[in-house]
Amino acid sequence: MKEAPRLTRGQLLVLLAPYLWIGAFLLAPLLLILKISLSQSVLARPPYRPLFELADGIAGLWSKAQTLTLDAYRTLFTDSLYLDAYISSLTIAAIATLVTLLVAYPFALAMARAPANWRPFLIGLAAAPFWTSFLIRVYAWIALLKDEGLINKALIALGMIDTPIEMFATRFAVIVGIVYSYLPFMLLPIYAALERQDPTLREASADLGASPFETFLRVTLPLSREGVIAGVLLVFIPAVGEFVIPDLLGGSDTLMIGRTLWNDFFANHDWPTASAAAVVLLALLIAPLVALERLRYDPKKDGS
Amino acid sequence: MNAGSAIDPAMDMKPLLSIRHICKNYGDTTALDDVSLTIARGEFFALLGPSGCGKTTLMRCIAGFETPDAGQLVLDGCDLAGMPPYRRPVNMMFQSYALFPHLNVYENVAFGLRRKGLAKDVIEARVSELLRLTQLIPYGARRINELSGGQRQRVALARALAPGPTLLLLDEPLGALDRKLREETQFHLKQIQRETGTSFMIVTHDQDEALALADRVAVMRAGRIEQIASPNDIYDRPASRFVAGFVGDTNFIDGVVHHQSAAHLVTDFGAITLSDCQLADGAGATLSIRPEDILARHEGAGIAGVVEDFVFRGDNTLLRVRVSDAMTLRVATWDSRFAVGERVVLQFPAETPALFAESA
Amino acid sequence: MSSSFRAFQGVILLAGFIFLYAPIVILAAMSFNASRLVSVWGGFSTQWYEALFDNEQLMQSAWISLLDATISSCLATILGLLAAVGLARFGAFRSRLLFFGAIHAPLVLPEVVLGLALLSCFVALGVGRGFTTLVIGHVTFTMCFTTVALLAAIRECDPTLEEAAMDLGAPPLNAFLLVALPQIAPALASAFLLAFTLALDDLVIASFATGPGATTLPMRIYSQVRLGVSPQINAISTLLLGMVAVAMGGGALLMRLAGRRRR
């Protein structure tokens, strides 16, 4: 490894603004959250006890440091509401990610194998909903999923059911919402991976005696691995912390951590617990990412 | 072969560019190791070497994109140290051409002139002159992606010449062209160099290109200069085994020097008379002999061998002649009446300038 | 390719696009329904649209959202461009890893966490929340997306082009402006649009970062939607969807024309 060079003055000038912005409005707030999660909950506004004050100096720092408390984290792991919310979030996100993958893969494959002059149009059409309001797309499902909604009406009219199926305000609705909202995130990387594949590889496989299904299993699928991994991460990570979908489509008993956190913050004003919940959520999401990055670490890539 | 000038142009004039003891390391790898050379005014100079030999690094040091760790670059009496690329009176024709895709041909050529803040009519006159020189007049309004490879090459040349550099650097200028176009372009390049009187320094890994174009050639290997000489001397009087092997096709014959009435190289298939030998009696040595310098005959005196294989090459035929169990020689002949398995005799030239002492 | 695969392909594509577009189309259709009920067609009507334009609160929020999205996406594009140039061109400088990680963090940061962090920060600093904090929140949130988009574009851009410009007498900044910028212009536009869309659409971060007097459109829609399906919300949703459709269609058309002219 070469020794990292210092930035020149001009380069520093370029990076100054983004550095300052990220430091002031991202890193500092995140550190603050960590700090709040270690403070005692006091029913004041702001509803946490200030931990460090610049005026206190070093001596004050130490005395204040002794007031650090893990109470908020203790609450997190003893209160079944939080534990359930974490488990439920991970489960729902995992199921929804799997379903999204199962929907997206054939869809991406069908697009990638379409005539070349059709592909830009198809992929544009598939990605277009991403540019429309997320909130509105989730909202659109309320009218479909309700007891008196269009799906139930249609099924009754077709004589397939007699009484409406309860879909709205269930886990099912949340999963449908996630699949629908995040489909483009899964679709695009898989499509990109499939489209990139050299078609002669499949011809070579067929030439060597593999059936179309075997070719898919042994050539196409393994070669699209990167796309699948990217898609799974792009869906799973935001799905775990999702707030809007469980709030609009889920029932009062559909627990997800994003929603619990929101309520703690806005309704209960319990900042330390909400902050601790956020810290744990971050750790939950970043740990697998770091592990994955280690697994396929490529020094030529970024971040090295 | 090129009939390059016998006088070294660098000798009788104050040099345009002096490269003095340039060193450049990237971490543990040495790109340039104490490189020194001079380029004369109006000279066509070639840096020849395999990829990774440091020739591109040297060129980038001259252009100002790399800073040498040690050494000095003096251009026209002016030390280039600390001078950024945009202030150096040196222009470069990039290997990829690096033409600006968002500008048309005219604007590409005018780019450097606009940076100088010249008047509009001056720019227009200069661009027209260069478009004429490079036979691009009808293409001024074209976009770069509408041009053929040869046209792009000429735009790159015109663009680099436009600001009137004292030295033009050309990085593999013909590398991206196909074979036929390459030869035509070689003539064109020489003609433009003569017409403009600009010093050209070309970097190439293609020996034919270097020999055909340049007045002088520097052969580089692993960051060092192996030989600087005219193309003729490089070919006929290579200074090292590496140069002999890299430039042109050759046979390397290992043996032991033996001084009798004349000097001989004793090999396992016979003795070869040496024209000029500074090596001591009994020293191990390697002789380089070009295939076309060995004469193959059906009978007569000489070293005996058996034709093992032959390849018809249009103007001549290349024979592979086995002279011993361990050795075959490549022999170029105009006589195509040889058959596989035929016994032949080989006659070696009287002049054997390419004799190298055995390296450790 | 076998005919059975072609059939499979057709069915999958049809089903996929129905799944993607049916909810949106149904929503748009319902906005013209005279009846308040989802499942009853009461005839064609534009009454909900008329009501919409009389709803001053909603109109004001729409204005705030537009203004916020415009300002924040401009800032995010500029900051993203600077960050991307640094990451793509300045080599492995010290603190690059930290910078790279921090720039990309909002990509994996749940919006709720980012919102919470920003709010705590504003409160701790004693900054009154309002339009400014809203914009700050959205710049922080969208900056990583613009950086990623522009980083990819700058990487595509051949650095020897800038070297050529410098060789021809352009100082580094000029070389970048004259040569690299025109090439990444499309990426710049799409980065801006991405940031704009994200900011316009965001509910979570806005809810944390904004204060009284700066309620955004998604916040208004959300508070209505929580109470159930509302025809007025259908109408404004349809308007928003229509705007996006027109913008995308226009964009595609322009690209086509530009592409044809280039050829």
Side-chain angles (χ1 to χ4, degrees):
Chain A
M1 273 267 65
K2 269 190 295 176
E3 190 191 339
R6 272 178 183 284
L7 291 167
T8 65
R9 195 186 300 176
Q11 290 175 330
L12 260 178
L13 213 62
V14 168
L15 284 177
L16 194 65
Y19 250 111
L20 285 181
W21 191 284
I22 286 288
F25 299 119
L26 185 71
L27 295 181
L30 286 176
L31 287 176
L32 191 65
I33 285 221
L34 189 66
K35 175 194 152 185
I36 294 173
S37 74
L38 295 168
S39 337
Q40 286 160 352
S41 178
V42 177
L43 286 175
R45 192 161 177 89
Y48 60 90
R49 181 185 268 179
L51 205 52
F52 306 118
E53 297 286 345
L54 280 176
D56 291 346
I58 303 292
L61 205 80
W62 175 242
S63 68
K64 283 288 171 63
Q66 289 171 323
T67 66
L68 280 181
T69 166
L70 288 171
D71 279 355
Y73 290 92
R74 222 163 280 138
T75 315
L76 224 53
F77 288 102
T78 47
D79 191 341
S80 67
L81 178 74
Y82 274 101
L83 269 182
D84 289 350
Y86 278 120
I87 293 166
S88 170
S89 287
L90 292 173
T91 324
I92 290 177
I95 297 172
T97 306
L98 186 68
V99 176
T100 314
L101 177 63
L102 293 178
V103 172
Y105 203 100
F107 197 7
L109 189 67
M111 286 198 290
R113 297 277 196 274
N117 50 347
W118 275 68
R119 279 181 225 153
F121 171 73
L122 289 176
I123 198 67
L125 205 60
F130 168 76
W131 293 93
T132 67
S133 168
F134 178 74
L135 188 60
I136 290 172
R137 276 181 291 144
V138 175
Y139 162 70
W141 278 92
I142 298 178
L144 295 174
L145 292 173
K146 280 205 156 180
D147 284 0
E148 68 277 18
L150 287 173
I151 294 177
N152 274 320
K153 285 271 175 184
L155 290 177
I156 292 172
L158 288 171
M160 289 166 81
I161 51 171
D162 296 326
T163 50
I165 308 172
E166 200 189 321
M167 292 182 289
F168 183 66
T170 63
R171 269 183 171 214
F172 172 77
V174 175
I175 290 170
V176 169
I178 294 176
V179 173
Y180 180 71
S181 307
Y182 289 105
L183 189 59
F185 293 102
M186 184 73 86
L187 207 50
L188 294 178
I190 295 180
Y191 168 82
L194 288 172
E195 214 255 350
R196 243 195 335 260
Q197 277 177 26
D198 185 351
T200 55
L201 291 179
R202 275 177 284 133
E203 291 175 359
S205 167
D207 183 62
L208 294 167
S211 71
F213 182 68
E214 279 174 316
T215 299
F216 173 76
L217 219 58
R218 307 241 170 252
V219 178
T220 309
L221 197 58
L223 283 175
S224 61
R225 203 177 119 239
E226 291 279 304
V228 170
I229 291 175
V232 165
L233 288 178
L234 284 174
V235 173
F236 182 76
I237 288 173
V240 174
E242 186 52 57
F243 165 75
V244 174
I245 297 173
D247 199 56
L248 290 185
L249 298 180
S252 53
D253 56 338
T254 319
L255 282 175
M256 277 188 90
I257 189 64
R259 198 179 175 196
T260 313
L261 222 156
W262 175 290
N263 286 336
D264 250 355
F265 210 79
F266 283 115
N268 306 340
H269 293 287
D270 186 355
W271 287 31
T273 312
S275 300
V279 170
V280 171
L281 176 56
L282 258 187
L284 269 180
L285 289 178
I286 287 175
L289 265 186
V290 171
L292 194 81
E293 209 35 55
R294 282 273 159 81
L295 271 180
R296 42 174 214 170
Y297 178 66
D298 180 355
K300 270 176 274 172
K301 281 203 180 138
D302 269 304
S304 59
Chain B
M1 270 305 100
N2 185 297
S5 53
I7 336 144
D8 189 343
M11 306 249 285
D12 46 41
M13 262 185 274
K14 197 176 128 229
L16 174 69
L17 174 71
S18 303
I19 299 173
R20 292 170 195 159
H21 310 293
I22 291 286
C23 295
K24 175 82 186 171
N25 295 306
Y26 295 105
D28 294 336
T29 47
T30 304
L32 295 173
D33 182 9
D34 194 19
V35 170
S36 297
L37 58 87
T38 56
I39 293 174
R41 232 166 271 278
E43 189 178 21
F44 203 134
F45 192 90
L47 269 181
L48 174 66
S51 58
C53 70
K55 56 190 193 301
T56 300
T57 306
L58 182 56
M59 174 170 272
R60 290 174 62 82
C61 285
I62 299 169
F65 296 120
E66 304 281 351
T67 314
D69 298 336
Q72 199 182 22
L73 291 167
V74 179
L75 181 74
D76 227 353
C78 165
D79 192 334
L80 290 179
M83 193 189 279
Y86 48 91
R87 298 234 176 80
R88 297 192 181 195
V90 169
N91 286 122
M92 180 152 167
M93 187 181 148
F94 288 78
Q95 182 174 10
S96 61
Y97 305 150
L99 297 173
F100 306 130
H102 59 295
L103 301 178
N104 63 20
V105 170
Y106 183 96
E107 284 303 324
N108 262 283
V109 177
F111 192 94
L113 302 169
R114 294 209 192 284
R115 302 288 80 72
K116 291 184 164 186
L118 298 175
K120 216 178 162 189
D121 49 329
V122 178
I123 293 177
E124 219 172 282
R126 178 78 179 142
V127 174
S128 312
E129 185 192 338
L130 281 151
L131 290 182
R132 183 191 51 73
L133 193 68
T134 49
Q135 300 157 14
L136 284 166
I137 297 251
Y139 304 107
R142 291 267 184 105
R143 277 183 165 265
I144 299 308
N145 57 7
E146 297 168 332
L147 300 178
S148 72
Q151 288 164 345
R152 285 178 201 201
Q153 195 260 2
R154 282 169 6 231
V155 177
L157 182 62
R159 187 182 71 176
L161 280 170
T166 49
L167 175 66
L168 183 70
L169 306 170
L170 302 99
D171 191 1
E172 304 274 1
L174 309 177
L177 303 180
D178 58 50
R179 240 187 128 71
K180 277 207 165 151
L181 199 56
R182 217 178 281 185
E183 195 188 358
E184 194 184 314
T185 313
Q186 282 179 2
F187 284 116
H188 193 209
L189 217 51
K190 282 196 96 158
Q191 183 199 337
I192 286 176
Q193 197 260 336
R194 265 197 310 274
E195 268 182 54
T196 59
T198 310
S199 299
F200 277 29
M201 177 171 172
I202 176 178
V203 153
T204 180
H205 66 274
D206 183 337
Q207 33 138 337
D208 293 334
E209 204 168 294
L211 300 184
L213 287 170
D215 300 321
R216 280 193 312 148
V217 178
V219 182
M220 285 188 72
R221 175 200 191 187
R224 294 182 141 270
I225 289 188
E226 292 265 318
Q227 185 174 13
I228 304 177
S230 72
N232 268 356
D233 284 350
I234 292 273
Y235 191 82
D236 291 336
R237 266 170 269 282
S240 68
R241 193 190 151 116
F242 173 78
V243 175
F246 188 74
V247 180
D249 205 4
T250 197
N251 294 291
F252 285 118
I253 301 168
D254 298 325
V256 178
V257 174
H258 189 57
H259 290 283
Q260 265 180 324
S261 53
H264 290 280
L265 185 72
V266 179
T267 70
D268 57 354
F269 55 86
I272 301 165
T273 313
L274 300 171
S275 62
D276 176 36
C277 180
Q278 313 294 331
L279 298 176
D281 196 61
T286 302
L287 181 65
S288 161
I289 297 190
R290 306 276 179 204
E292 67 270 20
D293 291 338
I294 305 177
L295 192 60
R297 316 192 88 167
H298 296 276
E299 53 206 5
I303 285 170
V306 178
V307 177
E308 204 169 72
D309 212 343
F310 64 86
V311 187
F312 180 63
R313 293 205 299 195
D315 56 342
N316 63 20
T317 300
L318 187 72
L319 304 175
R320 214 167 62 190
V321 178
R322 181 158 296 280
V323 288
S324 76
D325 288 343
M327 187 80 189
T328 57
L329 295 176
R330 297 148 63 80
V331 179
T333 171
W334 278 264
D335 181 352
S336 58
R337 298 167 299 143
F338 288 100
V340 172
E342 187 181 338
R343 292 187 172 278
V344 291
V345 286
L346 303 179
Q347 293 175 345
F348 290 86
E351 290 280 312
T352 53
L355 181 72
F356 313 111
E358 201 165 63
S359 51
Chain C
M1 219 159 289
S2 69
S3 59
S4 62
F5 181 80
R6 281 268 173 253
F8 157 83
Q9 193 181 26
V11 170
I12 291 284
L13 286 179
L14 194 68
F17 284 118
I18 287 177
F19 176 62
L20 277 179
Y21 281 93
I24 298 175
V25 172
I26 289 167
L27 176 71
M30 281 190 315
S31 71
F32 296 103
N33 187 354
S35 160
R36 249 180 190 286
L37 296 168
V38 180
S39 45
V40 180
W41 182 253
F44 181 84
S45 157
T46 54
Q47 57 174 319
W48 308 117
Y49 288 88
E50 285 153 29
L52 204 61
F53 289 103
D54 292 336
N55 188 337
E56 257 174 55
Q57 263 193 339
L58 212 59
M59 285 297 116
Q60 202 210 344
S61 291
W63 173 240
I64 287 171
S65 274
L66 271 179
L67 203 63
D68 154 63
T70 311
I71 298 173
S72 66
S73 50
C74 281
L75 282 173
T77 309
I78 295 169
L79 288 172
L81 180 63
L82 294 175
V85 166
L87 288 172
R89 290 289 161 81
F90 293 174
F93 57 87
R94 287 170 205 193
S95 77
R96 183 178 190 277
L97 187 61
L98 175 71
F99 187 59
F100 186 85
I103 286 275
H104 287 74
L107 282 177
V108 293
L109 212 56
E111 288 165 39
V112 186
V113 175
L114 181 58
L116 189 73
L118 282 165
L119 174 54
S120 328
C121 183
F122 296 144
V123 171
L125 290 173
V127 180
R129 280 175 296 143
F131 187 75
T132 315
T133 52
L134 175 67
V135 171
I136 288 176
H138 278 157
V139 172
T140 310
F141 171 53
T142 55
M143 191 178 147
C144 65
F145 293 93
T146 57
T147 307
V148 169
L150 292 168
L151 190 57
I154 292 177
R155 290 242 169 84
E156 290 277 299
C157 222
D158 184 358
T160 56
L161 290 182
E162 277 163 80
E163 283 187 352
M166 279 195 259
D167 186 63
L168 293 165
L173 183 62
N174 281 20
F176 183 79
L177 295 177
L178 287 166
V179 174
L181 208 57
Q183 288 181 81
I184 60 166
L188 219 49
S190 61
F192 173 82
L193 279 180
L194 185 64
F196 186 86
T197 318
L198 286 169
L200 194 65
D201 189 28
D202 167 67
L203 165 71
V204 177
I205 287 162
S207 300
F208 282 99
T210 196
T215 307
T216 64
L217 189 58
M219 287 169 71
R220 286 258 185 251
I221 293 177
Y222 170 71
S223 61
Q224 295 250 328
V225 161
R226 288 199 75 185
L227 308 173
V229 174
S230 138
Q232 246 189 60
I233 294 301
N234 291 347
I236 190 154
S237 301
T238 308
L239 275 183
L240 287 173
L241 293 173
M243 267 155 46
V244 171
V246 167
M248 289 195 67
L253 208 68
L254 273 179
M255 295 268 265
R256 260 214 145 151
L257 286 177
R260 198 167 293 166
R261 208 186 48 192
R262 202 159 297 167
R263 228 171 292 132

